[in-house]
Structures are given as C-alpha cells and as structure tokens.
Amino acid sequence: MNSPLSEVKETIVPAKRSHLAVKLQAAKTIIWRDKYLYLMLIPFILWYLIFAYKPMYGLQIAFKDYSLFKGISGSPWVGFENFERFFQSEYFIRNLVNTFMINFWGLIFAFPAPIILALLLNEVKNMMFKKTVQTITYLPHFISVVIIAGIVTNFLAPTNGIVNIFIEKFGGEKINFLAMPEFFRTIYIGSMQIWKDVGYSAIIYLAAIAGINPALYEAAKMDGANRWKQVWHITLPGMLPTIMILLILNLGSFLEVGYESIILLYQPATYETADVINTYVYRAGLQGGNYEVGAAAGLFNSVVSLILVVVANQLSKKMTNIGLW
Amino acid sequence: MKQSFSDKLSSGFIAVILIMLSAVCLYPFVYVLSASFSSGSAVITGEVLLFPKDITLDSYKSILAKDGLWQAYGNTVFYTVVGTAFSILLTICGAYPLSKSRLVGRTFVAFFIAFTLWFGAGLIPTYLNFKELGLLDTRTSIIVGFAVSAFLVILLRTFFQSIPDSLEESAKMDGANDLQILRHIYLPLSKPALVTVGLIYAVGKWNSYFWAMILLNDESKIPLQVLLKKMIVEMSLNEELTGSMNAANAMSQETFIYATIIVSILPIVLVYPFLQKYFVKGTMIGGIKE
C-alpha cells in the first residue's frame, strides 16, 4: 500500500518543483526584460521610502516620552498618554470646532464659487472676453500665500490700510480686522480660498462642461428648453461626476485646512476662531519643542483624514455611483 | 422674439458679473503696483487708490541697496532651477515604468504612492526625519526633500500611456532598449507634458515658504518668500506695538514691501500669459481620473 503512494508522491513533488522553477524562471526573464524600468524605479521608490515612509516610522513618538538624546527608538513607551494630554487640553475642542467651522463655511461659499464661475463662463459666447476673464481670475492662483497674506495684512491694516482708509472716507470708524476673531473666517475663506483659487478650480469644471454631448443641448432646444432649463437639466448633471470627485477630495482633506496660510494670517488675538489642529501642531510641536504631543495631534489628524476619505468615497459610491476607487 | 430679448438681458447680466469679478481679482495687483511707485506719504494718507501718486523709484532703489534681499532672490532662483530639474528627473523615473502595463508589481507601486496621498506622517515626524538625516539647515533638504508630487507623477504617467504602444514595439524590433525608447521616443513626444509638469513644479518651488521657514535657520540660505514673511510679520507687529510707529519709517517700509512683492511676482506674471495654456492642459489631464 505504501509503495504506490510514495511512488506517486515522488512523481508529483518533482513535477511541482519544476513547475515552481519554471515560474521563477519566467519571472526572472520578465524582470530581466524590464530591467531598465526597474532600475529607474529604484531612486523613485527610495525617495518615497526615505521622505514619506520613514517619517511614518517616526510617528511612534506619539506613543513615547520623546527625548532628543535617546532618539526615536530609544525613548520609553508611554501608551496613549500624549493623546490624553492633547484631548484634555483646552485647545482640542476649540481647534476641532474651528477646523469644522472653517470647512463648513468653505463648503458653503468657496466650494460652489468655481462651479458658478464655470457656468457663467460657459454662457459667454465671445471667446475673447471669455479668455480674458479666465486669464485674470486664474492669475491669483500663481501668487504665493505669503504675498497674498502680505496684501491682505496691508489692505486691512488698522491705521493706513486701504480698506480702513475707504471706511474713514465714507464716515465710518476704523476697524482692526485682523485682530478681531469674528472676522477671521471671512478673511481667510475670502482671500485664500475664493480669491486665490476660484479661477483655477473653475478650469476643471469647464473641462467637464466641454465633455458634455452637444446633441443633448440640441434635443433640449427642440423641446423648447430655455437657457436656464438647459443649465439645470443638462449642464449641471453633466458636471456632477466632477463635482462629486472634488467634493470627496475636499472632505478627505477636511482636517488639512490650509494651515500654511492660516499661520500667515492669524495672531494671538484671533486664535479662538483661527487656530486649527495643524497650526497647534506647528506652534506647540515645532516652535514649542513639545514633539510628542505635536506628533500625537498630527497622528489624530492623519487618521481622521484617512477615515474621512474612505467614508466620503463610500457614501458617494452609494449615492451616485461615483468614487475615487 | 421674447426669448431672444431675455437671452440678451441675461447675457448682459452675466457679462457685468464677470467684469466685476475680474476687477476684484485684478485690483490688488494694480494697487500694489501703483503703491510701489508712489511716495510713502501718499500711500499712507490714502491718496493712492488706483494710479500712483508722487511717482518715485525710491522703494526700488532701496531694494537694490538691500543685500539680504538679493541673496534671498538668488536662493529662490537656485532652489527653483535645481529643484525643478531634480524633480522632473525623479518624476520621469516613477512615471515611465508605471505607464507600462506589462510591468510586474505595477499595482503595488501605484498603491505605495497613492497611500501617501491619503495618509501622511505629519509635521513633527517629517521634521524629525530631516533632523535625523542631518539635513537641517541645508539646501539639499529643500531640493531633495520635497522633490516628488504624486499628482504630477500621475499626470505624466497618464500622458505616457496616451502614446501608442506600436511606436515602442517598432523601436524594440530595431533593437532599442527601454532607456533608448524613453530618450528617443517618449521624451521628445512628451514635450508639452514635460513643460507642464516642470512649470507646475517651478511655480510651486518659487512660491513655497513653509518648509524653508522650518528647516533653514541660516539667513544666507533662506528663499525670498521666507524673507518676505519676516518683513511682513515684522511690519504688522511694529504697527501693533507702537500704534503708528515713527511715521517716516512706516512710510518707507510700506512702499518697500509693495515693491518687494512686485519684484517677487514679476517673473511669474511675465511668463504667465505665454504659459497659461500648459497649466490649463495640466490641470485637465491631472484632474480627470481614469
């Protein structure tokens, strides 16, 4: 009974081995065939490992009592202590609320702005005029946030900013806009989100409109649809996939509100409405040297962002069948 | 006929809105330009609204005399030129292999890159990473550390994919290897895409300030944007501390900053009309997901 089985085994095993060997051989020839492509990929992947993935390894300091001398791996573990310190600090709720509010108002005012601009531009028949408007509104996108912040601070300066000069000319009282918490969100969304990017973001929507089948408009005209009805029933539905994708991206970066530009515009007097999680990470972590709490706050930010992208994508897929993946 | 009247009316209405919007977008630039050519006192008292008053080149003269500013300007040019070249090279290294569907492991590498779009280590670990690598206060950190944009890798990859495979196949028949095919077929055919990618990198590098501010301490290495940031913050702080501070100082400083702004955006504004189409193309290729 034994011998036939072992015979079978013996015949099978070498066969399997040779099968594997063949596969390996095939893989080798394929890799050899594309050797230059792989060679090219090496520096590229190395860059990602060193500058994107190695910092992720460093994230562990969020769970450690980090000391500069002991380094990342030498510092002792403390569990969730740093997170507790962040969650219990007075900044956590305030900054979370600020993040939410800035995004909420951004979604109400800044998100639809380029859609409206694209719809308006689409109605313009004179190509010269259309191009000129596009060129002008696109320009601020190329100006650095430092300069935009500089222009904003100068325009709104309390004593001799142009806005206050106007207010005084019309008989009003000068206002120190940048030092007043109630104005911060308006200033930030108006300058950094709308003024800077409305023209730039409109381009993507214009591309989406250009992709709509012209026959649809012909058919609608035959049915007697006026301009407004064509926009409502053809243009907008045609833009919907693009709108949804940008909305997902927008929600995904919910916590990543432009902290680089907030840092330029806020000041201690406006922290109560302007400070968001990442500006806190910058202040407490990088400027204050409180690395571990900063890293914990940053990790919280990253994880929530990741969850938000996935949830937004899933929701969009369910509701509109449109998703990023 | 009623239809066409309402059409005309709405066209006029739309035109008015768009003209107003363009004016709002353009006005700050016009004001800054006019203010930079005006005397400090005219700016401060609000005499400059649209056109320059008491035209003078004083602020531009003081820019010429300021050492730190030219040093920073030179640094920005250096970071932009060298950084863009390095970035393009690395982007091609990623985009070209990834555009080949025959490449084994392609999906994995693509995911490896895309993951960094959704999840990042954050400010502190990134900073500590530079510290560990010994790159604090070095020019290398600015050029190498922020070399790759995943968005632009995807953009270039999409463009490479649009080039017909048959070109590659016939070159292979003639005995060309992948590097030769890339150099002699793909790169020449991709000039518009390469220009687009290069320009987006270059503008980004010209305008970036945040990491340069964090990583560089040495005044002789900082780019223009960081210097500008310091000047602006210093100015508004001064104004806050002393109310109006000594008037003469305030006057010169204000117009000086406006002139610096003009000098720093000049290169971009000058090339902008010629290059706009590349950016539009790039936004469209990159914006449309497969």
Side-chain angles (χ1 to χ4, degrees):
Chain A
M1 285 300 278
N2 256 351
S3 66
L5 251 181
S6 68
E7 256 180 52
V8 171
K9 253 187 193 164
E10 254 167 40
T11 49
I12 285 173
V13 171
K16 257 192 182 166
R17 245 186 221 144
S18 72
H19 187 62
L20 206 77
V22 167
K23 264 195 169 172
L24 264 175
Q25 193 56 43
K28 255 186 203 165
T29 47
I30 283 174
I31 289 174
W32 187 248
R33 179 195 71 194
D34 292 334
K35 57 183 179 295
Y36 291 115
L37 297 184
Y38 288 108
L39 272 176
M40 286 178 77
L41 270 180
I42 289 173
F44 181 77
I45 291 176
L46 266 180
W47 186 89
Y48 264 95
L49 284 175
I50 296 173
F51 291 106
Y53 282 90
K54 194 168 162 280
M56 289 188 204
Y57 168 80
L59 260 178
Q60 56 178 286
I61 70 160
F63 304 95
K64 288 192 163 188
D65 179 14
Y66 181 68
S67 117
L68 274 178
F69 307 105
K70 291 179 193 152
I72 290 174
S73 41
S75 300
W77 294 95
V78 293
F80 284 90
E81 210 175 90
N82 297 321
F83 288 89
E84 278 163 30
R85 271 169 68 197
F86 170 55
F87 292 147
Q88 282 162 9
S89 76
E90 55 187 309
Y91 305 112
F92 175 63
I93 295 292
R94 184 188 80 181
N95 293 2
L96 205 62
V97 168
N98 285 342
T99 310
F100 178 81
M101 292 305 282
I102 289 174
N103 274 293
F104 175 77
W105 291 117
L107 217 57
I108 302 284
F109 289 104
F111 187 76
I115 301 176
I116 294 167
L117 176 60
L119 289 174
L120 290 175
L121 280 169
N122 189 49
E123 294 298 318
V124 174
K125 299 288 175 283
N126 182 335
M127 286 313 280
M128 255 292 271
F129 179 62
K130 186 176 168 179
K131 279 246 166 75
T132 312
V133 173
Q134 256 192 289
T135 306
I136 292 172
T137 52
Y138 194 23
L139 181 63
H141 176 71
F142 293 91
I143 306 306
S144 84
V145 285
V146 176
I147 287 173
I148 293 184
I151 292 177
V152 170
T153 29
N154 273 291
F155 275 33
L156 298 178
T159 41
N160 44 43
I162 179 101
V163 174
N164 273 322
I165 288 171
F166 265 114
I167 289 179
E168 209 174 41
K169 274 193 179 160
F170 289 105
E173 287 272 313
K174 284 185 173 178
I175 302 170
N176 190 357
F177 290 99
L178 286 165
M180 294 169 80
E182 58 266 45
F183 287 119
F184 184 82
R185 287 169 191 146
T186 316
I187 293 169
Y188 171 75
I189 292 168
S191 63
M192 294 292 183
Q193 296 190 337
I194 299 181
W195 187 71
K196 186 177 196 300
D197 278 334
V198 68
Y200 168 73
S201 312
I203 289 173
I204 296 169
Y205 294 116
L206 280 170
I209 295 174
I212 297 172
N213 186 354
L216 291 174
Y217 290 103
E218 292 305 320
K221 269 183 217 158
M222 297 280 250
D223 290 343
N226 62 21
R227 246 165 131 173
W228 170 245
K229 277 194 171 149
Q230 289 173 32
V231 168
W232 189 249
H233 294 289
I234 301 172
T235 315
L236 268 178
M239 292 164 81
L240 195 63
T242 312
I243 295 178
M244 284 313 292
I245 285 181
L246 290 178
L247 195 62
I248 300 170
L249 288 172
N250 205 310
L251 292 175
S253 55
F254 198 82
L255 294 189
E256 301 291 332
V257 280
Y259 64 93
E260 293 182 17
S261 36
I262 293 180
I263 286 171
L264 295 166
L265 284 177
Y266 78 170
Q267 43 178 295
T270 50
Y271 281 174
E272 60 171 288
T273 55
D275 200 19
V276 294
I277 296 173
N278 262 336
T279 50
Y280 169 76
V281 172
Y282 166 70
R283 235 181 23 258
L286 283 180
Q287 288 187 314
N290 199 348
Y291 292 132
E292 60 271 41
V293 176
L299 181 57
F300 170 79
N301 216 27
S302 294
V303 170
V304 177
S305 296
L306 184 67
I307 295 170
L308 282 174
V309 182
V310 175
V311 170
N313 193 49
Q314 230 50 36
L315 267 178
S316 159
K317 263 181 167 173
K318 248 196 197 135
M319 286 160 58
T320 59
N321 265 328
I322 298 156
L324 287 172
W325 65 82
Chain B
M1 276 302 105
K2 207 181 176 191
Q3 181 76 24
S4 93
F5 173 72
S6 80
D7 267 11
K8 264 184 194 157
L9 196 71
S10 53
S11 293
F13 189 61
I14 288 168
V16 169
I17 295 179
L18 289 175
I19 289 170
M20 272 162 56
L21 188 74
S22 305
V24 170
C25 281
L26 212 52
Y27 178 72
F29 296 116
V30 175
Y31 176 81
V32 171
L33 185 68
S34 296
S36 74
F37 283 109
S38 305
S39 72
S41 55
V43 171
I44 282 183
T45 51
E47 284 170 60
V48 178
L49 294 178
L50 188 63
F51 299 108
K53 274 260 162 65
D54 309 337
I55 294 178
T56 161
L57 289 174
D58 280 355
S59 39
Y60 289 94
K61 276 181 197 145
S62 49
I63 283 183
L64 281 172
K66 196 162 171 161
D67 279 350
L69 205 114
W70 287 110
Q71 170 103 50
Y73 209 89
N75 288 337
T76 295
V77 172
F78 176 78
Y79 293 135
T80 304
V81 172
V82 179
T84 303
F86 185 77
S87 292
I88 291 180
L89 207 70
L90 213 55
T91 303
I92 293 172
C93 280
Y96 186 63
L98 287 173
S99 72
K100 300 286 164 223
S101 53
R102 64 165 192 273
L103 193 82
V104 175
R106 186 176 86 127
T107 341
F108 175 73
V109 178
F111 176 78
F112 177 81
I113 298 161
F115 183 71
T116 61
L117 287 175
W118 311 127
F119 185 85
L123 291 181
I124 309 282
T126 305
Y127 171 79
L128 291 176
N129 186 40
F130 280 106
K131 196 182 174 104
E132 275 190 6
L133 294 168
L135 290 177
L136 287 192
D137 219 6
T138 63
R139 293 175 197 271
T140 319
S141 64
I142 304 298
I143 287 165
V144 179
F146 305 93
V148 180
S149 147
F151 167 77
L152 294 178
V153 173
I154 294 168
L155 194 155
L156 196 58
R157 190 201 64 178
T158 313
F159 195 88
F160 283 148
Q161 277 170 345
S162 72
I163 294 174
D165 289 337
S166 51
L167 282 174
E168 184 185 5
E169 279 155 24
S170 58
K172 279 226 160 120
M173 299 272 234
D174 294 341
N177 67 34
D178 281 315
L179 287 183
Q180 288 165 329
I181 292 171
L182 172 65
R183 249 195 73 196
H184 298 295
I185 297 177
Y186 277 80
L187 292 186
L189 285 176
S190 315
K191 258 185 204 144
L194 289 171
V195 172
T196 306
V197 167
L199 285 171
I200 297 177
Y201 272 130
V203 171
K205 284 166 202 291
W206 187 274
N207 283 338
S208 67
Y209 91 98
F210 187 75
W211 282 101
M213 169 182 84
I214 287 169
L215 296 173
L216 304 173
N217 282 320
D218 193 344
E219 289 274 335
S220 68
K221 289 176 188 149
I222 60 169
L224 192 59
Q225 302 300 336
V226 175
L227 186 74
L228 257 171
K229 194 230 163 201
K230 281 185 181 164
M231 286 165 50
I232 291 163
V233 168
E234 271 165 26
M235 192 191 76
S236 47
L237 273 185
N238 275 342
E239 201 166 339
E240 224 170 276
L241 289 177
T242 58
S244 65
M245 65 184 194
N246 67 73
N249 199 357
M251 278 176 208
S252 59
Q253 203 166 7
E254 194 133 341
T255 52
F256 181 69
I257 284 178
Y258 285 134
T260 313
I261 289 177
I262 293 298
V263 169
S264 96
I265 63 176
L266 202 61
I268 290 181
V269 174
L270 283 182
V271 295
Y272 174 72
F274 305 102
L275 304 175
Q276 196 205 166
K277 61 173 183 181
Y278 290 110
F279 284 100
V280 173
K281 231 179 255 165
T283 317
M284 288 184 353
I285 300 177
I288 297 161
K289 291 271 180 315
E290 318 149 60

